[in-house]
PDB file of all heavy atoms in Angstrom:
ATOM      1  N   VAL A  88     131.180  19.255 123.632  1.00 98.00           N
ATOM      2  CA  VAL A  88     131.535  17.901 124.012  1.00 98.00           C
ATOM      3  C   VAL A  88     130.263  17.106 124.226  1.00 98.00           C
ATOM      4  O   VAL A  88     129.348  17.565 125.005  1.00 98.00           O
ATOM      5  CB  VAL A  88     132.191  18.012 125.503  1.00 98.00           C
ATOM      6  CG1 VAL A  88     132.927  16.534 125.685  1.00 98.00           C
ATOM      7  CG2 VAL A  88     133.256  18.997 125.567  1.00 98.00           C
ATOM      8  N   ALA A  89     130.199  15.941 123.789  1.00 98.00           N
ATOM      9  CA  ALA A  89     129.113  15.080 123.967  1.00 98.00           C
ATOM     10  C   ALA A  89     129.514  13.646 123.985  1.00 98.00           C
ATOM     11  O   ALA A  89     130.363  13.266 123.206  1.00 98.00           O
ATOM     12  CB  ALA A  89     127.964  15.377 123.007  1.00 98.00           C
ATOM     13  N   VAL A  90     128.822  12.888 124.783  1.00 98.00           N
ATOM     14  CA  VAL A  90     128.972  11.497 124.945  1.00 98.00           C
ATOM     15  C   VAL A  90     127.600  10.787 124.780  1.00 98.00           C
ATOM     16  O   VAL A  90     126.641  11.268 125.409  1.00 98.00           O
ATOM     17  CB  VAL A  90     129.697  10.982 126.289  1.00 98.00           C
ATOM     18  CG1 VAL A  90     129.719   9.496 126.407  1.00 98.00           C
ATOM     19  CG2 VAL A  90     131.113  11.613 126.299  1.00 98.00           C
ATOM     20  N   ASP A  91     127.541   9.817 123.922  1.00 98.00           N
ATOM     21  CA  ASP A  91     126.208   9.203 123.685  1.00 98.00           C
ATOM     22  C   ASP A  91     125.854   8.646 125.044  1.00 98.00           C
ATOM     23  O   ASP A  91     126.624   8.050 125.754  1.00 98.00           O
ATOM     24  CB  ASP A  91     126.460   8.101 122.642  1.00 98.00           C
ATOM     25  CG  ASP A  91     125.184   8.194 121.617  1.00 98.00           C
ATOM     26  OD1 ASP A  91     124.294   9.044 121.779  1.00 98.00           O
ATOM     27  OD2 ASP A  91     125.142   7.365 120.656  1.00 98.00           O
ATOM     28  N   ARG A  92     124.518   8.659 125.282  1.00 96.00           N
ATOM     29  CA  ARG A  92     123.929   8.319 126.622  1.00 96.00           C
ATOM     30  C   ARG A  92     124.296   6.986 127.203  1.00 96.00           C
ATOM     31  O   ARG A  92     124.773   7.002 128.362  1.00 96.00           O
ATOM     32  CB  ARG A  92     122.520   8.389 126.524  1.00 96.00           C
ATOM     33  CG  ARG A  92     121.717   8.904 127.695  1.00 96.00           C
ATOM     34  CD  ARG A  92     120.216   9.040 127.414  1.00 96.00           C
ATOM     35  NE  ARG A  92     119.979  10.248 126.650  1.00 96.00           N
ATOM     36  CZ  ARG A  92     119.836  11.593 127.014  1.00 96.00           C
ATOM     37  NH1 ARG A  92     119.909  11.695 128.341  1.00 96.00           N
ATOM     38  NH2 ARG A  92     119.649  12.512 126.397  1.00 96.00           N
ATOM     39  N   PRO A  93     124.362   5.904 126.429  1.00 95.00           N
ATOM     40  CA  PRO A  93     124.787   4.626 127.012  1.00 95.00           C
ATOM     41  C   PRO A  93     126.220   4.586 127.439  1.00 95.00           C
ATOM     42  O   PRO A  93     126.549   3.770 128.268  1.00 95.00           O
ATOM     43  CB  PRO A  93     124.595   3.564 125.757  1.00 95.00           C
ATOM     44  CG  PRO A  93     123.835   4.231 124.845  1.00 95.00           C
ATOM     45  CD  PRO A  93     123.930   5.748 124.981  1.00 95.00           C
ATOM     46  N   HIS A  94     127.016   5.514 127.052  1.00 96.00           N
ATOM     47  CA  HIS A  94     128.514   5.438 127.330  1.00 96.00           C
ATOM     48  C   HIS A  94     128.852   6.496 128.447  1.00 96.00           C
ATOM     49  O   HIS A  94     130.081   6.697 128.637  1.00 96.00           O
ATOM     50  CB  HIS A  94     129.338   5.663 126.122  1.00 96.00           C
ATOM     51  CG  HIS A  94     128.999   4.573 125.046  1.00 96.00           C
ATOM     52  ND1 HIS A  94     129.186   3.294 125.304  1.00 96.00           N
ATOM     53  CD2 HIS A  94     128.443   4.741 123.835  1.00 96.00           C
ATOM     54  CE1 HIS A  94     128.853   2.503 124.208  1.00 96.00           C
ATOM     55  NE2 HIS A  94     128.305   3.389 123.378  1.00 96.00           N
ATOM     56  N   ARG A  95     127.869   7.127 128.894  1.00 97.00           N
ATOM     57  CA  ARG A  95     128.236   8.240 129.842  1.00 97.00           C
ATOM     58  C   ARG A  95     128.617   7.692 131.215  1.00 97.00           C
ATOM     59  O   ARG A  95     128.375   6.565 131.592  1.00 97.00           O
ATOM     60  CB  ARG A  95     127.007   9.233 130.051  1.00 97.00           C
ATOM     61  CG  ARG A  95     126.824  10.077 128.853  1.00 97.00           C
ATOM     62  CD  ARG A  95     125.604  11.038 129.104  1.00 97.00           C
ATOM     63  NE  ARG A  95     125.351  11.631 127.765  1.00 97.00           N
ATOM     64  CZ  ARG A  95     124.241  12.305 127.664  1.00 97.00           C
ATOM     65  NH1 ARG A  95     123.429  12.646 128.625  1.00 97.00           N
ATOM     66  NH2 ARG A  95     123.958  12.872 126.470  1.00 97.00           N
ATOM     67  N   GLY A  96     129.410   8.543 131.940  1.00 95.00           N
ATOM     68  CA  GLY A  96     129.776   8.128 133.396  1.00 95.00           C
ATOM     69  C   GLY A  96     130.866   7.159 133.466  1.00 95.00           C
ATOM     70  O   GLY A  96     131.213   6.639 134.580  1.00 95.00           O
ATOM     71  N   HIS A  97     131.654   7.021 132.379  1.00 93.00           N
ATOM     72  CA  HIS A  97     132.720   6.029 132.452  1.00 93.00           C
ATOM     73  C   HIS A  97     134.151   6.771 132.189  1.00 93.00           C
ATOM     74  O   HIS A  97     135.154   6.082 131.793  1.00 93.00           O
ATOM     75  CB  HIS A  97     132.590   4.929 131.425  1.00 93.00           C
ATOM     76  CG  HIS A  97     131.311   4.075 131.722  1.00 93.00           C
ATOM     77  ND1 HIS A  97     131.092   3.474 132.994  1.00 93.00           N
ATOM     78  CD2 HIS A  97     130.237   3.834 130.910  1.00 93.00           C
ATOM     79  CE1 HIS A  97     129.902   2.905 132.883  1.00 93.00           C
ATOM     80  NE2 HIS A  97     129.345   3.116 131.599  1.00 93.00           N
ATOM     81  N   GLY A  98     134.093   8.051 132.123  1.00 95.00           N
ATOM     82  CA  GLY A  98     135.346   8.719 131.969  1.00 95.00           C
ATOM     83  C   GLY A  98     135.685   9.149 130.525  1.00 95.00           C
ATOM     84  O   GLY A  98     136.637   9.696 130.224  1.00 95.00           O
ATOM     85  N   LEU A  99     134.659   8.898 129.597  1.00 97.00           N
ATOM     86  CA  LEU A  99     135.004   9.168 128.174  1.00 97.00           C
ATOM     87  C   LEU A  99     135.044  10.699 127.947  1.00 97.00           C
ATOM     88  O   LEU A  99     135.993  11.135 127.292  1.00 97.00           O
ATOM     89  CB  LEU A  99     133.851   8.551 127.321  1.00 97.00           C
ATOM     90  CG  LEU A  99     134.280   8.034 125.943  1.00 97.00           C
ATOM     91  CD1 LEU A  99     135.359   7.082 126.013  1.00 97.00           C
ATOM     92  CD2 LEU A  99     132.927   7.454 125.231  1.00 97.00           C
ATOM     93  N   GLY A 100     134.268  11.499 128.444  1.00 98.00           N
ATOM     94  CA  GLY A 100     134.253  12.912 128.298  1.00 98.00           C
ATOM     95  C   GLY A 100     135.478  13.535 128.808  1.00 98.00           C
ATOM     96  O   GLY A 100     136.240  14.132 127.918  1.00 98.00           O
ATOM     97  N   VAL A 101     135.884  13.252 129.891  1.00 97.00           N
ATOM     98  CA  VAL A 101     137.146  13.967 130.463  1.00 97.00           C
ATOM     99  C   VAL A 101     138.394  13.356 129.743  1.00 97.00           C
ATOM    100  O   VAL A 101     139.262  14.076 129.565  1.00 97.00           O
ATOM    101  CB  VAL A 101     137.141  13.774 132.072  1.00 97.00           C
ATOM    102  CG1 VAL A 101     137.533  12.387 132.514  1.00 97.00           C
ATOM    103  CG2 VAL A 101     138.118  14.785 132.637  1.00 97.00           C
TER     104      VAL A 101
END
Side-chain angles (χ1 to χ4, degrees):
V88 189
V90 172
D91 224 359
R92 216 170 286 273
H94 302 298
R95 289 184 190 168
H97 301 302
L99 213 54
V101 75

